[in-house]
Amino acid sequence: MQADVQSIAKIELHGHLEGCIYPQVVRRIAERNGITLKEGLFTSADTFAWNDFVEFLGAYDEASFCLRSGEDYEEITYEYLKQCAAEGVIYLETFASPDHAATVGISYADMVQGCARAIDRAEAEFGIIGRLIISCVRHLGPEQAVKVAQLTADNPHPYVVGFGMGGNESMFTQTDFAPAFEIAAAAGLGCTTHAGEVLGPESVWDAIDNLPVTRIGHGVRSVEDAELLLALKDRGVALEVCPGSNLALDVYPDWASHPLNKLIDAGINVSLNSDDPPFFATTVGTEYQNAVDHFAISIEQLKVISRMAVADSFADEETKAKLLARIG
Ligand code: ADE
Ligand code: ZN
């Protein structure tokens, strides 16, 4: 990272805790827990092995299979916050999935409390503020999503500020998940859903017309529909853009095809995010640097992006004011 990019106070609104574990850490935790990892999880170059979106989701599930306790969640959360702080990130929201935790026998309380211990330690040591967005998994279906939303609503925690949905966008519709999102919104949680990443504009329309969301994860394919761009701007819906992820997953073939600048020019609030760093060979700092290198975004514009991200974050007003003061 260039020194001027490094010095910018960065905000990340879209990263997945289960998707931020590097291969070395997966192996270390698996060994400690006596777990044999699935054959073929890594390439010979020691990255995760996958070839398309569905295989990526499979590798992501397998990586998180090394986890067995709240302490393991604490470890991966702390590692992530530490790495991000070293790149100048001052605030991040990360998705945590109770379904992934439950698969390996970790309760919701243990997961959240483990993450919260890491958030406290990282803020004390590095000044970074971390918050959690509890995520349901789309391909597990609407009924399971309602269970996750209810669990979240029934167990409020000051660091749990949002509710979201990832997973396979080709299964079910956004509307199918309205009951889950209504439970979360009624509990005072900010809401976001992955849309317009694998599917086109119709998925984003479905989300903004039928779910109580103020943000969309990715949403980049909104660029294919001029009316949708206007609707996003008018309704103040922000896009959590993850360019490196989009290129890695072949949503776009190259930087020149990526619509980041078009979305900004349309007056839509965007943030820059890493999504799943070890899977896509990226970091938040890399995404800020890529914005300079591949989208001709200036240092001043990067600060505007950080400020937009604060405004669209699910943090309380006092935290937002503190973050804006740090961005300068
Ligand atoms: N879960 C983790 N990363 C994801 C992505 N890019 N799309 C959908 N679900 C995800
Ligand atoms: Zn994502």
Side-chain angles (χ1 to χ4, degrees), residues 189-208:
L189 297 166
C191 292
T192 176
T193 183
H194 285 61
E197 176 194 22
V198 174
L199 297 189
E202 67 285 357
S203 171
V204 180
W205 278 118
D206 190 8
I208 65 171

mmCIF file of all heavy atoms in Angstrom, residues 189-208:
data_model
loop_
_atom_site.group_PDB
_atom_site.id
_atom_site.type_symbol
_atom_site.label_atom_id
_atom_site.label_comp_id
_atom_site.label_asym_id
_atom_site.label_seq_id
_atom_site.Cartn_x
_atom_site.Cartn_y
_atom_site.Cartn_z
ATOM 1 N N LEU A 189 -32.274 -3.996 14.687
ATOM 2 C CA LEU A 189 -31.019 -4.282 13.975
ATOM 3 C C LEU A 189 -31.026 -3.684 12.575
ATOM 4 O O LEU A 189 -32.058 -3.683 11.893
ATOM 5 C CB LEU A 189 -30.820 -5.802 13.873
ATOM 6 C CG LEU A 189 -30.665 -6.507 15.222
ATOM 7 C CD1 LEU A 189 -30.812 -8.016 15.061
ATOM 8 C CD2 LEU A 189 -29.309 -6.164 15.854
ATOM 9 N N GLY A 190 -29.876 -3.186 12.136
ATOM 10 C CA GLY A 190 -29.724 -2.740 10.765
ATOM 11 C C GLY A 190 -29.734 -3.960 9.860
ATOM 12 O O GLY A 190 -29.285 -5.034 10.263
ATOM 13 N N CYS A 191 -30.256 -3.810 8.644
ATOM 14 C CA CYS A 191 -30.391 -4.988 7.768
ATOM 15 C C CYS A 191 -29.703 -4.796 6.422
ATOM 16 O O CYS A 191 -29.777 -3.719 5.821
ATOM 17 C CB CYS A 191 -31.864 -5.313 7.544
ATOM 18 S SG CYS A 191 -32.692 -5.914 9.032
ATOM 19 N N THR A 192 -29.083 -5.878 5.961
ATOM 20 C CA THR A 192 -28.410 -5.896 4.659
ATOM 21 C C THR A 192 -28.523 -7.299 4.081
ATOM 22 O O THR A 192 -28.593 -8.285 4.836
ATOM 23 C CB THR A 192 -26.930 -5.483 4.808
ATOM 24 O OG1 THR A 192 -26.285 -5.607 3.530
ATOM 25 C CG2 THR A 192 -26.175 -6.334 5.821
ATOM 26 N N THR A 193 -28.559 -7.398 2.767
ATOM 27 C CA THR A 193 -28.598 -8.723 2.138
ATOM 28 C C THR A 193 -27.722 -8.741 0.896
ATOM 29 O O THR A 193 -27.594 -7.727 0.206
ATOM 30 C CB THR A 193 -30.049 -9.114 1.753
ATOM 31 O OG1 THR A 193 -30.057 -10.442 1.214
ATOM 32 C CG2 THR A 193 -30.640 -8.175 0.715
ATOM 33 N N HIS A 194 -27.094 -9.881 0.631
ATOM 34 C CA HIS A 194 -26.341 -10.045 -0.620
ATOM 35 C C HIS A 194 -27.341 -10.067 -1.777
ATOM 36 O O HIS A 194 -28.283 -10.871 -1.778
ATOM 37 C CB HIS A 194 -25.579 -11.374 -0.631
ATOM 38 C CG HIS A 194 -24.350 -11.411 0.225
ATOM 39 N ND1 HIS A 194 -24.371 -11.219 1.574
ATOM 40 C CD2 HIS A 194 -23.047 -11.619 -0.105
ATOM 41 C CE1 HIS A 194 -23.136 -11.308 2.048
ATOM 42 N NE2 HIS A 194 -22.307 -11.553 1.054
ATOM 43 N N ALA A 195 -27.130 -9.210 -2.755
ATOM 44 C CA ALA A 195 -28.007 -9.179 -3.938
ATOM 45 C C ALA A 195 -27.256 -8.520 -5.081
ATOM 46 O O ALA A 195 -26.363 -7.705 -4.854
ATOM 47 C CB ALA A 195 -29.292 -8.403 -3.639
ATOM 48 N N GLY A 196 -27.635 -8.881 -6.306
ATOM 49 C CA GLY A 196 -27.000 -8.241 -7.453
ATOM 50 C C GLY A 196 -25.524 -8.551 -7.544
ATOM 51 O O GLY A 196 -24.725 -7.734 -8.013
ATOM 52 N N GLU A 197 -25.158 -9.751 -7.095
ATOM 53 C CA GLU A 197 -23.778 -10.232 -7.220
ATOM 54 C C GLU A 197 -23.771 -11.332 -8.287
ATOM 55 O O GLU A 197 -23.202 -11.174 -9.360
ATOM 56 C CB GLU A 197 -23.286 -10.784 -5.873
ATOM 57 C CG GLU A 197 -21.879 -11.388 -5.925
ATOM 58 C CD GLU A 197 -21.525 -12.221 -4.694
ATOM 59 O OE1 GLU A 197 -22.447 -12.695 -3.993
ATOM 60 O OE2 GLU A 197 -20.315 -12.418 -4.452
ATOM 61 N N VAL A 198 -24.468 -12.431 -7.992
ATOM 62 C CA VAL A 198 -24.587 -13.536 -8.945
ATOM 63 C C VAL A 198 -25.778 -13.281 -9.863
ATOM 64 O O VAL A 198 -25.693 -13.485 -11.073
ATOM 65 C CB VAL A 198 -24.752 -14.872 -8.181
ATOM 66 C CG1 VAL A 198 -25.028 -16.018 -9.141
ATOM 67 C CG2 VAL A 198 -23.496 -15.158 -7.353
ATOM 68 N N LEU A 199 -26.879 -12.813 -9.274
ATOM 69 C CA LEU A 199 -28.067 -12.484 -10.077
ATOM 70 C C LEU A 199 -28.056 -11.006 -10.456
ATOM 71 O O LEU A 199 -27.286 -10.220 -9.901
ATOM 72 C CB LEU A 199 -29.347 -12.808 -9.295
ATOM 73 C CG LEU A 199 -29.596 -14.265 -8.921
ATOM 74 C CD1 LEU A 199 -30.999 -14.424 -8.347
ATOM 75 C CD2 LEU A 199 -29.399 -15.205 -10.104
ATOM 76 N N GLY A 200 -28.942 -10.649 -11.368
ATOM 77 C CA GLY A 200 -28.963 -9.293 -11.897
ATOM 78 C C GLY A 200 -29.846 -8.336 -11.092
ATOM 79 O O GLY A 200 -30.192 -8.610 -9.939
ATOM 80 N N PRO A 201 -30.234 -7.215 -11.713
ATOM 81 C CA PRO A 201 -30.982 -6.154 -11.031
ATOM 82 C C PRO A 201 -32.269 -6.617 -10.357
ATOM 83 O O PRO A 201 -32.669 -6.076 -9.327
ATOM 84 C CB PRO A 201 -31.307 -5.170 -12.161
ATOM 85 C CG PRO A 201 -30.306 -5.436 -13.215
ATOM 86 C CD PRO A 201 -29.934 -6.876 -13.115
ATOM 87 N N GLU A 202 -32.932 -7.640 -10.940
ATOM 88 C CA GLU A 202 -34.209 -8.084 -10.365
ATOM 89 C C GLU A 202 -34.047 -8.523 -8.906
ATOM 90 O O GLU A 202 -34.956 -8.357 -8.086
ATOM 91 C CB GLU A 202 -34.833 -9.209 -11.220
ATOM 92 C CG GLU A 202 -34.097 -10.542 -11.247
ATOM 93 C CD GLU A 202 -32.812 -10.563 -12.094
ATOM 94 O OE1 GLU A 202 -32.499 -9.536 -12.723
ATOM 95 O OE2 GLU A 202 -32.135 -11.604 -12.097
ATOM 96 N N SER A 203 -32.873 -9.064 -8.569
ATOM 97 C CA SER A 203 -32.625 -9.515 -7.198
ATOM 98 C C SER A 203 -32.502 -8.317 -6.249
ATOM 99 O O SER A 203 -32.938 -8.368 -5.085
ATOM 100 C CB SER A 203 -31.344 -10.364 -7.190
ATOM 101 O OG SER A 203 -30.929 -10.655 -5.896
ATOM 102 N N VAL A 204 -31.926 -7.224 -6.764
ATOM 103 C CA VAL A 204 -31.791 -6.008 -5.937
ATOM 104 C C VAL A 204 -33.159 -5.353 -5.756
ATOM 105 O O VAL A 204 -33.521 -4.931 -4.646
ATOM 106 C CB VAL A 204 -30.771 -5.024 -6.559
ATOM 107 C CG1 VAL A 204 -30.633 -3.776 -5.699
ATOM 108 C CG2 VAL A 204 -29.415 -5.703 -6.748
ATOM 109 N N TRP A 205 -33.954 -5.299 -6.847
ATOM 110 C CA TRP A 205 -35.333 -4.784 -6.722
ATOM 111 C C TRP A 205 -36.090 -5.581 -5.677
ATOM 112 O O TRP A 205 -36.790 -5.015 -4.830
ATOM 113 C CB TRP A 205 -36.075 -4.890 -8.059
ATOM 114 C CG TRP A 205 -35.824 -3.801 -9.054
ATOM 115 C CD1 TRP A 205 -35.275 -3.948 -10.294
ATOM 116 C CD2 TRP A 205 -36.145 -2.400 -8.916
ATOM 117 N NE1 TRP A 205 -35.219 -2.729 -10.935
ATOM 118 C CE2 TRP A 205 -35.754 -1.770 -10.116
ATOM 119 C CE3 TRP A 205 -36.715 -1.632 -7.905
ATOM 120 C CZ2 TRP A 205 -35.916 -0.393 -10.325
ATOM 121 C CZ3 TRP A 205 -36.882 -0.264 -8.114
ATOM 122 C CH2 TRP A 205 -36.484 0.347 -9.309
ATOM 123 N N ASP A 206 -35.998 -6.900 -5.760
ATOM 124 C CA ASP A 206 -36.713 -7.783 -4.826
ATOM 125 C C ASP A 206 -36.312 -7.427 -3.385
ATOM 126 O O ASP A 206 -37.162 -7.337 -2.487
ATOM 127 C CB ASP A 206 -36.347 -9.243 -5.166
ATOM 128 C CG ASP A 206 -37.197 -10.256 -4.426
ATOM 129 O OD1 ASP A 206 -38.175 -9.842 -3.760
ATOM 130 O OD2 ASP A 206 -36.885 -11.465 -4.497
ATOM 131 N N ALA A 207 -35.019 -7.183 -3.181
ATOM 132 C CA ALA A 207 -34.538 -6.868 -1.831
ATOM 133 C C ALA A 207 -35.043 -5.500 -1.359
ATOM 134 O O ALA A 207 -35.582 -5.379 -0.256
ATOM 135 C CB ALA A 207 -33.011 -6.905 -1.797
ATOM 136 N N ILE A 208 -34.886 -4.468 -2.187
ATOM 137 C CA ILE A 208 -35.230 -3.121 -1.679
ATOM 138 C C ILE A 208 -36.743 -2.906 -1.622
ATOM 139 O O ILE A 208 -37.219 -2.076 -0.855
ATOM 140 C CB ILE A 208 -34.533 -1.985 -2.472
ATOM 141 C CG1 ILE A 208 -34.993 -1.918 -3.930
ATOM 142 C CG2 ILE A 208 -33.012 -2.125 -2.371
ATOM 143 C CD1 ILE A 208 -34.479 -0.669 -4.657
#
